[in-house]
């Protein structure tokens, strides 16, 4: 996921004395963690975003990075077997990953100069809980990246599948 600006739109209608209606649209911007790229080029007012900073509103430029160091994805282990049978990817995708994996702590954290970093390494990331961050987990800035890992701890599973050349196929 990447920490990004997100646009919110709210429209109010006001009935005028002459019977006509005036609509006013207000755009506000917040920051959020998102697993998809939010295209800030489509924002209504990206050069003068009003960002809530406590009780006050601050004007700021709202541009999200165009590039990600890696794509959001779900990866499945390769080479898993049930007895003598190989489990195919479509079959593995039916098992649910539910337990977070605690990554090892980074030996020495040095923040990347670019947001997002060009690549994620042990030296430009830090661990907080079950997440790996490219920035400060307590004070993220737009362009920071976080990665999570989960495991499906099933030791037993039932499947209705067909044996095709030693592979179980759903």
């Amino acid at each position: 996921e990447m920490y990004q600006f997100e646009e919110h739109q709210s429209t109010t209608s006001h009935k005028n004395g002459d019977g006509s209606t005036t609509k006013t649209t207000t755009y506000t911007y917040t920051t959020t963690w998102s697993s998809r790229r939010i295209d800030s080029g489509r924002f209504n007012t990206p050069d003068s975003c009003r960002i809530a900073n406590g009780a006050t509103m601050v004007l700021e430029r709202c541009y999200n990075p165009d590039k990600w160091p890696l794509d959001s994805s779900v990866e499945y282990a390769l080479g898993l077997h049930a007895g003598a049978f190989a489990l195919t990817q479509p079959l593995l995708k039916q098992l649910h990953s539910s337990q977070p994996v605690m990554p090892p702590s980074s030996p020495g954290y040095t923040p990347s100069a670019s947001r997002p970093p060009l690549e994620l390494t042990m030296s430009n990331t830090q661990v907080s809980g079950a997440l790996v961050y490219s920035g400060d987990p307590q004070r993220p800035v737009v362009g920071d990246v976080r990665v999570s890992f989960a495991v499906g701890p099933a030791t037993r599973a039932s499947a209705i599948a067909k044996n095709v050349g030693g592979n179980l196929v759903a």
Side-chain angles (χ1 to χ4, degrees):
E1 297 177 316
M2 184 183 291
Y3 202 63
Q4 302 176 77
F5 287 109
E6 181 177 50
E7 181 178 69
H8 305 276
Q9 172 184 331
S10 105
T11 302
T12 57
S13 295
H14 171 79
K15 198 122 176 131
N16 299 320
D18 63 0
S20 65
T21 303
T22 301
K23 289 186 179 182
T24 303
T25 302
T26 304
Y27 297 92
T28 56
Y29 300 86
T30 58
T31 48
T32 187
W33 288 102
S34 179
S35 60
R36 63 174 179 78
R37 182 177 177 275
I38 299 173
D39 184 0
S40 57
R42 296 181 179 268
F43 289 173
N44 189 275
T45 56
D47 287 326
S48 58
C49 296
R50 290 184 316 187
I51 306 293
N53 184 3
T56 62
M57 297 298 272
V58 178
L59 282 179
E60 187 173 322
R61 295 183 69 188
C62 295
Y63 288 102
N64 292 325
D66 290 331
K67 296 187 167 110
W68 290 46
L70 51 103
D71 292 326
S72 293
S73 65
V74 176
E75 302 295 328
Y76 295 90
L78 300 174
L80 295 178
H81 288 77
F85 301 103
L87 301 175
T88 60
Q89 291 292 307
L91 202 55
L92 289 174
K93 289 179 182 180
Q94 294 179 29
L95 300 174
H96 299 285
S97 299
S98 59
Q99 289 185 346
V101 173
M102 301 302 270
S105 295
S106 304
Y109 171 67
T110 305
S112 176
S114 64
R115 291 279 195 271
L118 300 177
E119 64 181 354
L120 298 176
T121 66
M122 287 293 287
S123 65
N124 73 0
T125 59
Q126 57 183 325
V127 175
S128 179
L131 296 166
V132 176
Y133 290 85
S134 68
D136 183 345
Q138 304 305 316
R139 288 177 287 288
V141 297
V142 169
D144 281 352
V145 176
R146 71 179 181 186
V147 179
S148 64
F149 301 91
V151 64
T155 56
R156 290 182 178 208
S158 297
I160 298 175
K162 177 170 70 170
N163 176 8
V164 177
N167 295 311
L168 291 180
V169 179

